Amino acid sequence: MNQTTIVVAISSNNAIGKDNQLLWHLPADLKHFKNITSGHTIIMGRKTYDSIGKPLPNRRNIVITRQNGLQLTGVEVVNSLEDALSLCKAEEQVFIIGGAEIYRQALPLAHKIELTRVHQEFDADAFFPQLDNETWKEVWKEDHLPDEKNKFAYTFSTLERR
């Protein structure tokens, strides 16, 4: 049985996106994401895939869609989170990378959350579910102030299921 980890960046008001786009540009977060997920399987919804526009390199890409017969080059396509996870049974670590609906479905199944909290509120149409401290405990965190490349203050943290 693999460990399912959610990787997500959320704002102070739990926003994750608007019009199928990220709300901020934080190069440090993109690098952090790449470091965590490289060499592993990533599972995402079709809208998240569309916003990225291509399979992410050095990762097994699995896309969940309701569309029957959808084919994407360099990507495995399935119709449910359960199907995606069953393709990965032999893998030690699997990463769920969005979007909102996939996060909602994956949250009860996840063992760990790699969280980037952007210390700013944003207008959005996609949100991450509210996390509850009864279920999740923070085991690591690293705070960052804005700098010349990263416009907002942010915190990387790792949460584990209690």
Side-chain angles (χ1 to χ4, degrees):
M1 187 61 194
N2 54 35
Q3 174 151 317
T4 303
T5 301
I6 288 174
V7 183
V8 64
I10 66 176
S11 69
S12 304
N13 57 330
N14 278 17
I16 59 171
K18 182 168 181 165
D19 300 327
N20 209 29
Q21 296 298 317
L22 294 175
L23 300 165
W24 50 79
H25 179 67
L26 285 176
D29 183 49
L30 297 174
K31 185 178 176 192
H32 183 65
F33 173 86
K34 185 178 179 181
N35 289 342
I36 290 171
T37 61
S38 281
H40 297 284
T41 295
I42 54 174
I43 297 172
M44 70 197 96
R46 186 202 39 87
K47 288 187 210 161
T48 297
Y49 176 80
D50 288 349
S51 76
I52 296 168
K54 64 183 192 295
L56 290 174
N58 193 24
R59 283 157 274 209
R60 178 182 182 192
N61 289 250
I62 299 177
V63 171
I64 301 167
T65 180
R66 291 187 191 101
Q67 290 177 41
N68 287 320
L70 180 68
Q71 293 184 329
L72 301 167
T73 306
V75 172
E76 293 168 74
V77 179
V78 296
N79 294 118
S80 70
L81 180 58
E82 293 70 30
D83 290 349
L85 291 171
S86 72
L87 286 179
C88 308
K89 278 195 173 99
E91 295 176 45
E92 204 173 295
Q93 182 79 291
V94 177
F95 293 94
I96 309 289
I97 67 163
E101 177 59 24
I102 303 301
Y103 285 141
R104 191 187 62 69
Q105 292 176 30
L107 197 56
L109 310 171
H111 302 88
K112 196 160 109 180
I113 301 173
E114 293 293 346
L115 178 68
T116 301
R117 192 173 290 278
V118 180
H119 301 291
Q120 182 82 29
E121 291 203 359
F122 290 87
D123 177 35
D125 58 19
F127 295 86
F128 192 77
Q130 191 64 44
L131 292 172
D132 109 48
N133 294 331
E134 303 290 306
T135 308
W136 299 99
K137 77 168 186 251
E138 189 173 67
V139 296
W140 174 82
K141 97 177 200 177
E142 187 179 274
D143 294 315
H144 296 269
L145 294 170
D147 59 33
E148 62 283 348
K149 288 185 180 156
N150 299 278
K151 188 174 162 188
F152 306 104
Y154 58 96
T155 300
F156 293 142
S157 61
T158 301
L159 309 178
E160 289 180 353
R161 186 175 289 280
R162 291 188 185 273

